[in-house]
Amino acid sequence: MSGLNAALRHILGAGGLLDAPGDIAGYRGDLACPEGSDILGVVRPRTTAELAEIAKACMAAQVAMVARGGGTGLAGGATPVGDAPCVLISFERMHRIRSIDTVGNVMIVEAGCPLQQAQAAAAEAGRLLGLDHGGAGSSQIGGNLATNAGGNNVLRYGMAREQVLGLEAVLADGTLLSQLQPLRKNNSGYDLKQLFIGAEGTLGLITAAALRLRPAPVRRTTACVGLSTPEAALALLARAQSLLGEAISAFELLPRAGLDLHFRHVGECGEPFEPSTPWVVLIEADSASRHFDLDAAISEVLEGAIGDGLVLAGTLAASEAQRQALWRIREGIAVAMIETPGALKSDTSVPIAAIPAFIAQAAEAVARVAPGAVPVPFGHVGDGNIHFNVLPPPKGDLADFRRRAPAVARVIEDISIALGGAVSAEHGIGLLKRDALRRMRSTAELDLMRALKRSLDPSGLLNPGKILEV
Amino acid sequence: MSGLNAALRHILGAGGLLDAPGDIAGYRGDLACPEGSDILGVVRPRTTAELAEIAKACMAAQVAMVARGGGTGLAGGATPVGDAPCVLISFERMHRIRSIDTVGNVMIVEAGCPLQQAQAAAAEAGRLLGLDHGGAGSSQIGGNLATNAGGNNVLRYGMAREQVLGLEAVLADGTLLSQLQPLRKNNSGYDLKQLFIGAEGTLGLITAAALRLRPAPVRRTTACVGLSTPEAALALLARAQSLLGEAISAFELLPRAGLDLHFRHVGECGEPFEPSTPWVVLIEADSASRHFDLDAAISEVLEGAIGDGLVLAGTLAASEAQRQALWRIREGIAVAMIETPGALKSDTSVPIAAIPAFIAQAAEAVARVAPGAVPVPFGHVGDGNIHFNVLPPPKGDLADFRRRAPAVARVIEDISIALGGAVSAEHGIGLLKRDALRRMRSTAELDLMRALKRSLDPSGLLNPGKILEV
């Protein structure tokens, strides 16, 4: 294999290949699966042409390539596995914003650009990139597209896929596929870019994308309200949609158990309003037009809902600082979950109307499988993506809960599937959800996925063992 | 082949198979290519299960299957070609709306349902289906998805693809692929439905779809204004976006030559305002919130633009009747083009900033190739899709123009491609644009399209000869 490393060093020049043990330690996994199998080295191309040469060299040596973005994945999608050492591809040196077109409302960004930098560049040009989530600071555009990232604004702007107008990718054999045309309409043959979005680097290597921009919001309103049940949250969503329409950009559900965990754990935030309620909803709406009176609309929503007893209490953000404080309450739950030993995360989605049934059935099942464990179902009501997370019993045996965790995850997934839902709404399949994928997809679907894999990567060199075990 | 017809008759029951010459006459093509090659018969399944059996029978007999929707295609995509007779599949008896979910905002519709019926059902439920175009009355949902139809509202809601949450399809060998989950977030393996959208029935047969619904508009404003140049239209679009933001649902450019043709041809409409201007723009904006003051926004746009001399004249629709009259001016141009003998249609799109250059360069090239011919570049400025149509010289030799038409089409396409555009923005490739596809796509792209075709339809039985000549 040292022959391959020499070839890679020749392609990349000084500093392009990392293969000293100390240099590659941080590259072998993501947040969910940090320690993968052995790697020959980390290649850090500066250009798409360099990456194409790398792929050709790896193909010639029949060595696998695992693409890696910011390492913030939650499913092990960038974690190398298997007996044969592979090459890890880091896009950190391909981070340019190639262009921003404010007439056509499109930006062309390289795969290694962090999402937050792309957002900031769009904002500086008076535009909005309609993709945001908790990992925006570190995650990269390439990883966002390879996992079809979701986040808080999906009900308004759609998933990462829906931001993509054009794509540039390198195929398994080093062929360059250049489709960066910034066109809104382009029915010129099969829409090949769709193959690579959400495929987690198993069908090709995304190197750059033409992303849709929108007019930047000039008005925004943020409310945080208390409710007694998830059913009330759905009723409130319907009212909000009828008065705010397309302006709702986030509608997040926070359970009491999650708020309590957060306030205990971080200590920085407190209750957003009194009296405290079993459930809290965070609503945000924005508009690129100053003629959309969002404050009047949200006030009408809340006055009606309070009058009818649907909303028990609440607060409106009167400043950007207050708005950020409300968002910290929501984000703090996610942080506290990650930092709580043994906490079980899930990424289920169900049809929106089934959310109350899902929460009730899953809570009952968790109580059966792991008595005393604390359900923390929270997240994106507006798009059906409830992360049904579970905390270990407060005074229980952590080792015992960890033994039960696979069974807990399984009952939650099974209930989601039975309600017509998915077990990987926005995190992807990677390593962790491969078994679940087989339960959720039919033989016909899995066969077709395998046929695509064989067709695009016949040697199985692109991120082997991810999504499909083949 | 009579053995196959007997098998099909057995699957379909009485009336399901049409094979008398008089019965099948109307099925052998679309608006662009009405007379295709011989067919064995027209199968009209009532259910997805029946269609799966049909596909198995055709596979066993190695007879090709050509799917057909409403027959309103403009590229020959549903027109049978080749020496071997094929079976034509009509979805006219699979037209049910299976469900409408106003909580999750999704409707499940069968392939044969006319777009206009799906729109009406959504409206009745207080929702909007974000897809509309001139062929809505006759075209069917399946055809809309198989061609990834566009239309007037793409700048607001995206193409047909972006309305699809789930899909049901039958593969070449009769395998049922059922993916009708109405989920907003579902990263559970490769997004297989994308393969079939825009593939014109060459990779699988779409039988039903779960379509995204939106809150219905409760406010709408429509303006028709006169401008001196396409550059002025782009400047007006930028101003409208900064004041109306996401509410702009149509922004259509109409040239003087198109208006004159229409007024002469149909005789029903007249000038929308005086004095008449070289170019006219039709702007529409709508909102699902009554708190969005669209009239104030459009007034601010127009007052500023008139003050600066950008807009020369204009009118606002004061009633639904006036609104429809303004839209008839636009739609009448399309009708008049279709009904004018020899008129050349095109479906080019370019980056929005390149629209003025495209119109100028294409007009110059047309004057060179067909002196005296009349350019009618019109359509969707908001999404870059200018249909650069051309009328024969008013007093010229029609036969001569028809001889020059392929060269005229070619120079228009070449200019679009040189400007980074596409030659098939919303009509698809079908038969008519196969040559252009080869000029526009790289070898790598075409090879990958062929690999997909081989992988999904190894026997080449699905709509052979379309998109790719294979």
Side-chain angles (χ1 to χ4, degrees):
Chain A
M1 288 304 153
S2 63
L4 175 61
N5 280 22
L8 295 174
R9 200 165 268 121
H10 178 73
I11 294 164
L12 289 160
L17 173 70
L18 307 179
D19 55 1
D23 292 340
I24 64 178
Y27 287 92
R28 293 215 343 265
D30 66 10
L31 290 178
C33 306
E35 282 302 320
S37 59
D38 284 345
I39 58 175
L40 293 174
V42 177
V43 297
R44 305 188 300 154
R46 283 163 300 195
T47 64
T48 303
E50 279 186 3
L51 181 61
E53 293 304 308
I54 291 165
K56 283 174 192 162
C58 289
M59 173 65 84
Q62 289 286 296
V63 166
M65 296 162 267
V66 176
R68 176 197 167 82
T72 59
L74 295 168
T79 305
V81 288
D83 297 332
C86 63
V87 164
L88 206 140
I89 299 168
S90 170
F91 290 87
E92 63 197 283
R93 301 204 298 178
M94 288 182 67
H95 54 70
R96 282 191 311 141
I97 293 169
R98 292 190 192 164
S99 63
I100 297 186
D101 168 4
T102 55
V103 179
N105 282 329
V106 58
M107 69 193 298
I108 297 184
V109 186
E110 291 183 344
C113 179
L115 173 56
Q116 206 166 64
Q117 282 184 27
Q119 291 169 338
E124 205 169 306
R127 297 295 182 272
L128 174 79
L129 174 59
L131 180 65
D132 195 22
H133 54 73
S138 311
S139 76
Q140 298 171 359
I141 291 295
N144 275 274
L145 300 186
T147 59
N148 189 25
N152 301 331
N153 302 143
V154 169
L155 83 165
R156 172 79 177 264
Y157 301 117
M159 305 283 282
R161 181 184 304 278
E162 290 169 78
Q163 319 313 317
V164 182
L165 297 175
L167 204 71
E168 181 187 83
V170 169
L171 304 185
D173 64 359
T175 300
L176 171 63
L177 199 80
S178 184
Q179 298 203 304
L180 286 174
Q181 292 97 335
L183 302 174
R184 290 294 200 265
K185 284 181 172 172
N186 186 6
N187 277 344
S188 300
Y190 305 151
D191 191 0
L192 300 174
K193 66 178 180 288
Q194 305 294 346
L195 288 167
F196 307 102
I197 302 168
E200 304 184 19
T202 65
L203 299 180
L205 303 164
I206 294 170
T207 54
L211 300 175
R212 177 192 305 261
L213 298 177
R214 302 161 199 271
V218 296
R219 283 200 167 211
R220 176 176 279 145
T221 190
T222 310
C224 188
V225 302
L227 308 160
S228 57
T229 61
E231 285 84 353
L234 281 198
L236 182 64
L237 175 62
R239 288 178 185 219
Q241 284 175 329
S242 75
L243 287 164
L244 283 155
E246 61 278 21
I248 303 171
S249 49
F251 196 96
E252 300 281 307
L253 182 68
L254 318 178
R256 173 54 41 199
L259 295 165
D260 288 346
L261 170 75
H262 171 203
F263 299 150
R264 274 199 318 272
H265 182 86
V266 183
E268 177 200 1
C269 300
E271 294 290 341
F273 46 76
E274 295 292 344
S276 66
T277 53
W279 298 87
V280 164
V281 161
L282 184 61
I283 314 173
E284 192 159 277
D286 54 52
S287 174
S289 172
R290 63 173 176 265
H291 293 283
F292 196 156
D293 193 345
L294 297 174
D295 292 335
I298 192 88
S299 297
E300 188 179 339
V301 172
L302 296 185
E303 280 162 23
I306 290 169
D308 295 346
L310 198 63
V311 162
L312 308 175
T315 181
L316 276 170
S319 66
E320 176 62 19
Q322 283 184 20
R323 170 182 173 256
Q324 290 187 11
L326 293 179
W327 272 101
R328 274 198 300 277
I329 293 175
R330 187 253 178 257
E331 295 304 339
I333 297 178
V335 173
M337 289 298 306
I338 289 173
E339 295 176 355
T340 299
L344 185 146
K345 294 174 66 68
S346 87
D347 181 31
T348 38
S349 71
V350 294
I352 293 168
I355 288 174
F358 172 62
I359 291 175
Q361 291 176 27
E364 194 185 343
V366 167
R368 208 166 54 235
V369 178
V374 182
V376 186
F378 92 113
H380 323 297
V381 168
D383 59 37
N385 177 201
I386 300 294
H387 297 282
F388 199 102
N389 300 344
V390 183
L391 295 171
K395 290 170 184 160
D397 175 354
L398 183 58
D400 177 67
F401 179 74
R402 288 201 152 122
R403 278 189 298 275
R404 293 169 193 256
V408 173
R410 175 67 184 261
V411 291
I412 294 168
E413 290 173 2
D414 286 350
I415 290 166
S416 168
I417 294 170
L419 289 168
V423 303
S424 177
E426 59 179 7
H427 296 168
I429 299 299
L431 292 171
L432 295 183
K433 299 287 177 65
R434 287 186 314 188
D435 291 346
L437 183 71
R438 285 202 302 271
R439 294 199 304 279
M440 193 172 41
R441 295 299 195 184
S442 67
T443 304
E445 291 172 288
L446 294 169
D447 284 349
L448 187 47
M449 291 184 201
R450 288 190 196 100
L452 288 178
K453 175 70 175 172
R454 278 196 305 273
S455 184
L456 272 86
D457 179 25
S459 304
L461 296 182
L462 292 176
N463 207 4
K466 306 303 159 50
I467 300 183
L468 303 165
E469 294 192 36
V470 180
Chain B
M1 288 304 152
S2 63
L4 175 61
N5 279 22
L8 295 174
R9 199 164 268 122
H10 179 74
I11 293 165
L12 289 160
L17 173 70
L18 307 179
D19 54 1
D23 291 340
I24 64 179
Y27 287 93
R28 291 212 349 262
D30 65 9
L31 289 179
C33 306
E35 281 303 319
S37 58
D38 283 347
I39 58 176
L40 294 173
V42 177
V43 297
R44 305 188 301 153
R46 283 162 301 196
T47 65
T48 303
E50 279 186 2
L51 180 61
E53 292 305 309
I54 290 165
K56 283 174 193 162
C58 288
M59 174 63 85
Q62 289 287 295
V63 166
M65 296 163 266
V66 176
R68 177 196 167 82
T72 59
L74 295 169
T79 305
V81 288
D83 296 333
C86 64
V87 165
L88 207 140
I89 300 168
S90 170
F91 290 87
E92 63 199 283
R93 301 204 297 178
M94 288 182 67
H95 54 70
R96 281 191 311 141
I97 292 169
R98 292 191 192 163
S99 63
I100 297 187
D101 168 4
T102 55
V103 180
N105 281 328
V106 58
M107 70 193 298
I108 297 183
V109 187
E110 291 183 345
C113 180
L115 173 56
Q116 206 165 66
Q117 281 185 26
Q119 291 169 338
E124 204 170 306
R127 297 295 181 272
L128 174 78
L129 174 59
L131 180 65
D132 195 22
H133 54 74
S138 311
S139 75
Q140 298 172 0
I141 292 295
N144 275 273
L145 300 186
T147 59
N148 189 27
N152 301 332
N153 302 143
V154 168
L155 83 166
R156 172 79 177 265
Y157 301 116
M159 305 283 283
R161 181 183 304 277
E162 290 169 77
Q163 319 313 317
V164 182
L165 297 175
L167 205 71
E168 182 188 82
V170 170
L171 304 185
D173 64 359
T175 299
L176 171 63
L177 198 79
S178 182
Q179 298 203 304
L180 285 175
Q181 293 97 337
L183 302 173
R184 290 294 200 265
K185 283 181 172 172
N186 186 6
N187 278 343
S188 301
Y190 305 150
D191 191 359
L192 300 174
K193 66 177 179 288
Q194 306 295 346
L195 288 168
F196 307 101
I197 302 168
E200 304 183 19
T202 65
L203 299 180
L205 303 164
I206 295 171
T207 54
L211 300 175
R212 178 191 305 262
L213 298 177
R214 303 161 198 272
V218 295
R219 282 200 167 212
R220 176 175 279 146
T221 189
T222 309
C224 190
V225 301
L227 308 160
S228 57
T229 62
E231 285 84 351
L234 282 198
L236 182 64
L237 175 62
R239 287 178 186 219
Q241 283 175 328
S242 75
L243 286 163
L244 284 156
E246 61 278 21
I248 303 172
S249 50
F251 195 96
E252 300 281 307
L253 181 68
L254 319 178
R256 172 55 40 199
L259 295 165
D260 287 347
L261 170 75
H262 171 203
F263 299 151
R264 274 200 316 272
H265 182 86
V266 183
E268 177 199 1
C269 300
E271 295 289 340
F273 46 76
E274 295 292 343
S276 68
T277 53
W279 299 87
V280 165
V281 160
L282 184 61
I283 314 173
E284 191 159 277
D286 54 52
S287 174
S289 172
R290 64 173 174 263
H291 293 283
F292 196 157
D293 193 345
L294 296 174
D295 292 336
I298 192 87
S299 297
E300 189 179 338
V301 172
L302 296 185
E303 281 162 21
I306 290 169
D308 295 345
L310 198 62
V311 163
L312 307 175
T315 181
L316 277 170
S319 66
E320 176 62 21
Q322 283 185 18
R323 171 182 173 257
Q324 289 187 11
L326 293 179
W327 272 101
R328 273 199 301 275
I329 293 175
R330 187 251 177 261
E331 295 303 339
I333 296 178
V335 173
M337 288 298 307
I338 290 173
E339 294 176 357
T340 298
L344 184 147
K345 294 174 66 69
S346 87
D347 182 32
T348 40
S349 71
V350 293
I352 293 167
I355 288 174
F358 171 62
I359 291 176
Q361 291 176 28
E364 193 186 343
V366 168
R368 210 166 51 236
V369 177
V374 181
V376 186
F378 93 113
H380 323 298
V381 168
D383 59 37
N385 178 200
I386 299 295
H387 298 282
F388 199 101
N389 299 344
V390 183
L391 296 172
K395 290 172 184 158
D397 174 353
L398 184 57
D400 177 66
F401 179 74
R402 283 191 209 259
R403 276 189 299 275
R404 292 168 193 257
V408 172
R410 176 66 184 261
V411 292
I412 294 168
E413 290 173 2
D414 286 350
I415 290 166
S416 168
I417 294 170
L419 289 168
V423 302
S424 177
E426 60 179 7
H427 296 168
I429 298 297
L431 292 172
L432 295 185
K433 299 287 178 68
R434 287 187 315 188
D435 291 345
L437 183 71
R438 284 203 303 271
R439 293 198 304 278
M440 195 174 38
R441 295 299 195 184
S442 66
T443 305
E445 291 170 287
L446 294 168
D447 284 349
L448 186 47
M449 290 183 201
R450 288 189 196 101
L452 287 177
K453 175 71 175 172
R454 278 196 304 273
S455 184
L456 272 86
D457 180 25
S459 304
L461 296 182
L462 292 176
N463 206 5
K466 307 302 160 51
I467 300 182
L468 302 165
E469 293 188 38
V470 180

